[in-house]
Every structure is written in structure tokens, then in C-alpha cells.
Amino acid sequence: MGTPLSSLVLVLLTALQQPSAPPRGVVDVFQPGAEACWAIEQGGQRLGECTTRYEGEVSLGSLRAHLFHDQVRLELATPGGKLEQRFSVELWTDSAGQPLRFDFRAQIGDAKSAVEGAFTGGKAELVVRQGPSEKPLSVKVPDDVYLLTNNFVSQLELALLLAPEGPLTLFSVNALQTFPFTRKRVETPDGTLVYEDSLGERLTLSAEGRLLLLELPPQKLTMRRVEEKVERFTIELARHALAADIEREEVQIVDGDVSLAGTLTRKKGLVGKGGKLPAVFFLSGSGPQDREGFSSGLDVGTHEILDRLTREGYLVLRVDDRGVGASTGPTADMDFADLVEDGRRAARFLLARPEVDPARVVAIGHSEGGLSAPVLAAEEPLAAIVLMAAPGRTLEELLREQLLFGKKREGASAAELEGFAAELDGFLDAIAKGEALDPQGIPAELALFVPARAWLESHLGRDPLPFLAKVRCPILILQGGRDVQVSAERDTPKLVAALDAAKHTDHELKLFPALDHLFKKASDPPSELDYLKARPVDPEFLDALVSWLQARLMK
């Protein structure tokens, strides 16, 4: 991928620590929205800058993570002019600042490349993208590794503030390998915190441990902390590529103050019976997702499902969730009813399309989308619905189970579990009563839900089974046996029993013992960290989905 400073090799280290005790984690030293900037200079000449912004605590699949947006812009003199280089890193870390996932993008002139990585199970699972090519790699890493990218002094500061004393192991995004790092304190007349490291760099820190200055004397290179606001940029990579046999049509579903941006896909040259085609639309799970199924850097796998259905002869509608990508509309205080209405907009859009057979329109709902689909099927003339990992219990039951399981896995004692359960129950009760909540006064696991309290409140006490019992069209229930969010033992049987009790005449359950919530192969035992690995949607799952739909819509 080349070095950003051409012949200048600027390798940033990690981890220095003041003699005082280190902070406990990211939230102790960073406030959401906090920004910083360092000017990059050589021989007194400004080359560019590095900037960082801490976005706060976010969801990463079913994990909690801390999100940093870091950027570097450089403008270097070259024969015949100047060459602008831009680099960006979205970095998701755990509470100790150690990487869970990253998305690195580089643009040098018009050339673009990227590296995506996930850290789990003692490995960094990587995908290197150079133009249209992709290369997967797997690198062994220790659990206490810190991330570093050339020229990203922001990542250096993160490690300086959070890493423990002693030798460290760094993972270089540019070299795609680990290397050791050591440093030593330099005595100064005025007691300023200055260190020299094994890479030949000299670091000056503030009394609070903030990185004020990095110097690389042999190259006359410095990175100096400055009080500046720098315009941020985006490096856009090519969207999910479709094969040449698939046609795309960009569409906009406008209804009042909501505008859902999407894509219609069909097999090239396909004409249905009487000019009409069966159609499918997808209802995504919780959390913001784009039309191809990417959420907070995770590949949920939606595009694989919808591409397969497109090739099987369906007109497929895929949309960006409201507030994601090109979709717009009110997002403050969004609740479950808003999600259902956006699904209704997609359904009615397809039902009104002239090339669509209105008697053959199907909704596929994943996770929370599996709650929306039955509501729509009971009110709209859908030909069938598919429920992928759909809950059979209330959200508070699932939430309680998931959070307590996470605490137990972390080694919480019985007394600690009991105390947390009481705090969780009190939190849910306060949400239901509309009481004010101070995120600083509740456990971090619960504070994450405060900004989405309208959504959470709309789910409280909502039993999905009565809505499912109203559906009369065919229903396919798909469930992974290693799903750690929706249970094959505690959720799926409730769905089947509700349909049996309602004397529903055409429903079927297909269980995939080795698959997870995303219908991808899971580790044994399963873990939420599986979400961080690059894995395809299981082909047997895709075959089963297609077979069931073909039997009902392609007669």
C-alpha cells in the first residue's frame, strides 16, 4: 500500500504512561464529541494534520464498543506538482482501548485501497482491498495488542493514556504484523514528561498524559498538538459489486418527511409471467444498516441473501434504513411504530410497481425485522413472510437474558449478578414510567440505551405472539442453533406453538444447528465475537430459503 510519507518512514509507537496510576478505561479519559488535532511538519514546513474524534459508546453487533474516527491529510511535493494523500480509520475498541474492529481507508491521488480487520480469539482477521481485488489474511496477535497506523498520532495518544507500564506489542495496519515496543523516561531540567522509544522517536506529554509533541529527529519530522478545527472528509469505496447478470435501478420512496433510498435489482433481461415478477423486500434488524446490510462496519450478510434471490428470478428491493446512507427523515425518538411504517412504505412501493405481481410480494424480516413482518402481513396483501431469527418473547426478556449472560461470562459473582439484575429491573421500570435518567448514574451497559429510550419504551411489554397469530399467509421460520441473541430453545418453539394454536395452515420451521444470528457458521461454543469475523452466509441456509419461496411463488 506504500508509505504515506514516501521515503519518510514514520512509524508511530504506542504506550507510554505517567508514573501515576493509569485510568480505568476509555470513558475515564475521553468525553463523547471530544476532538484533537496535530499539525504534521517537516523542517518547519506544514505537510498536513492528524485529527481524531471520539464518538462515544456504540453497539457493535451485540457488543458494546467505543468508536473513534481518525483522519490524516498530507500534501507532499512531487516532481511536477503536489500529491494529496488522505487516510481515515474508524476504530472500535473495548473499554481498555484495545481494538475490536477497524476500517482503514487510503486515497493517494485517485488510487484507493482499504484494510478491514477484526480482533478475536488471538487473531487479527483481515481483508485487504486493492482496487477490485480482495485478499483475506489472518495474523496471530496477543490479547493486549494496541492498534497503530502510520501517521495516526491519535492512536498513539490512545495507547499513551490507557496502556499499562512495560513493553508492549503493537499491530501495524500498514505492515499487517505485530512488533514490540519499549520506551524510557528522559530526565529534563524542568521535569517535563519526555520519553524516547525503541523506534527513535521523542515524545513530550502533558501532566495529564496527553501527547503534545512527537519528534523524529533524523527526518526533521514533528507532530505538534494544535488548537485547530479541520474540515473532515470521507473516502468512498466502491459499493457492493453485483455480477454483470444483475440490473440495478436506484429508487427513492418519498412519503411526507421520510425519504427511503434504495435499489431495485433484477436478473438481466428477466420478464415474468405476463410481464409480472414476484418481488421481495427486506426488513433489517435493530441498529442502523445500509441497503446491503452493513452496520457499524459489520457485514450482516444481507447482500448475499438478496443477490441470490435476484438471480433466482425475484425483483428485489433493498433500502437504507432511515437516517443511514441516502435515506432521510426524522430520527429523534424513533420507535418500533416508525420502523413498521418504513416497512409499510417499502411494501406499498412494491405493490404499486407496474412490473410486480401484487399477488406475489414477500417480506423477509431479520431479528427485529421479524417482529415487523407479521404486523405488515396482517394488514397488507403479502403473499408470504420469512422470519429470520425472530424473537418469540418480549424485548425486556431478551435484554435481561443477554445482559445477565454477558455479566456471568465476565466472571460476575452470584451477588453481583443479583445486584445488576435489580438495577436492570429498576432501569426498565423507569423507562416504562417515563422517568428522567442520568447516564452517569447507571451501569454503562444500561446507559447505552438511554439515547434510544423511545425505541426501548415502544417495545416494553409487547408480546410478539398475538401479532403473529393474526397472519394468514404462508410463514417460514428460520433459526440458527448457535444464535446467542435469539434462542432456538426459548424463542422459536413459542412462534411455532402460537401458529399451531391459531390453526395456521402453512408454516414451517427450519433449524440450522451450526449457524448464528446472522446465519453464518459459528464457533463452538458460539460468541458475539464471531460477528467480527469475515464469514459468508451459509449456502445451505440460502438453498433452503430459495426452495421454500420457489414452491409457493414460482408455480
Side-chain angles (χ1 to χ4, degrees), residues 422-479:
E423 288 184 292
L424 173 56
D425 292 340
F427 172 77
L428 294 174
D429 187 58
I431 290 283
K433 293 178 178 177
E435 297 175 358
L437 289 166
D438 179 6
Q440 301 299 321
I442 57 179
E445 295 94 336
L446 305 181
L448 183 64
F449 292 95
V450 173
R453 65 175 298 161
W455 168 82
L456 181 55
E457 185 177 356
S458 69
H459 273 293
L460 294 181
R462 186 185 183 281
D463 184 351
L465 302 181
F467 296 91
L468 183 64
K470 295 179 182 179
V471 179
R472 303 266 56 94
C473 67
I475 300 174
L476 174 61
I477 302 170
L478 301 168
Q479 180 62 47

Side-chain angles (χ1 to χ4, degrees), residues 249-253 260-264 291 317-319 349 353:
E249 177 188 348
E250 302 305 305
V251 297
Q252 206 82 20
I253 305 171
L260 302 178
T263 303
L264 281 173
R291 69 190 71 182
L317 172 65
R318 53 191 92 191
V319 299
F349 174 82
R353 290 283 297 195

Side-chain angles (χ1 to χ4, degrees), residues 117-130:
F119 293 77
T120 177
K123 292 183 179 180
E125 301 290 349
L126 309 165
V127 178
V128 180
R129 292 186 169 88
Q130 299 274 16

Side-chain angles (χ1 to χ4, degrees), residues 508-527:
E508 185 174 350
L509 166 65
K510 292 185 180 294
L511 178 65
F512 301 88
L515 304 188
D516 67 2
H517 192 64
L518 305 182
F519 295 88
K520 301 180 180 185
K521 287 284 175 60
S523 59
D524 187 13
S527 168

Side-chain angles (χ1 to χ4, degrees), residues 531-545:
Y531 296 175
L532 303 178
K533 301 175 183 177
R535 301 168 296 147
V537 173
D538 184 71
E540 291 184 10
F541 159 80
L542 291 173
D543 289 345
L545 169 62

Side-chain angles (χ1 to χ4, degrees), residues 5-170:
L5 288 178
S6 187
S7 61
L8 302 178
V9 180
L10 174 60
V11 181
L12 296 183
L13 44 104
T14 58
L16 271 179
Q17 198 67 30
Q18 304 181 63
S20 58
R24 290 191 304 170
V26 171
V27 296
D28 296 303
V29 293
F30 294 97
Q31 294 293 321
E35 297 182 344
C37 178
W38 291 265
I40 303 174
E41 301 173 343
Q42 185 181 33
Q45 180 181 358
R46 178 79 171 251
L47 300 179
E49 61 281 322
C50 170
T51 61
T52 184
R53 176 181 171 86
Y54 172 54
E55 301 294 350
E57 195 173 32
V58 299
S59 295
L60 184 62
S62 63
L63 300 174
R64 297 192 331 278
H66 298 272
L67 175 60
F68 294 84
H69 281 149
D70 298 347
Q71 297 188 337
V72 167
R73 186 195 65 83
L74 298 169
E75 191 171 79
L76 305 178
T78 61
K82 291 185 176 181
L83 178 65
E84 185 175 58
Q85 304 180 9
R86 295 187 175 194
F87 308 90
S88 69
V89 174
E90 281 187 286
L91 171 61
W92 292 264
T93 77
D94 63 15
S95 60
Q98 289 164 341
L100 294 171
R101 186 175 179 86
F102 71 88
D103 182 349
F104 168 71
R105 300 184 182 188
Q107 181 173 359
I108 302 176
D110 293 329
K112 298 179 182 180
S113 57
V115 180
E116 294 178 20
F119 293 77
T120 177
K123 292 183 179 180
E125 301 290 349
L126 309 165
V127 178
V128 180
R129 292 186 169 88
Q130 299 274 16
S133 66
E134 296 185 3
K135 180 181 180 181
L137 293 172
S138 182
V139 179
K140 290 184 178 180
V141 297
D143 292 336
D144 57 355
V145 72
Y146 281 84
L147 190 78
L148 112 47
T149 312
N150 282 4
N151 308 313
F152 281 76
V153 68
S154 51
Q155 293 171 10
L156 170 60
E157 180 175 74
L158 178 64
L160 292 175
L161 290 165
L162 299 180
E165 290 284 354
L168 298 172
T169 300
L170 311 179

Side-chain angles (χ1 to χ4, degrees), residues 72 77 94 111 151 188 194 196 310 395 401 411 434 437 441-442 449 513 547:
V72 167
D94 63 15
N151 308 313
T188 57
V194 177
E196 291 179 350
T310 299
L395 181 67
E401 182 175 277
L437 289 166
I442 57 179
F449 292 95
S547 177

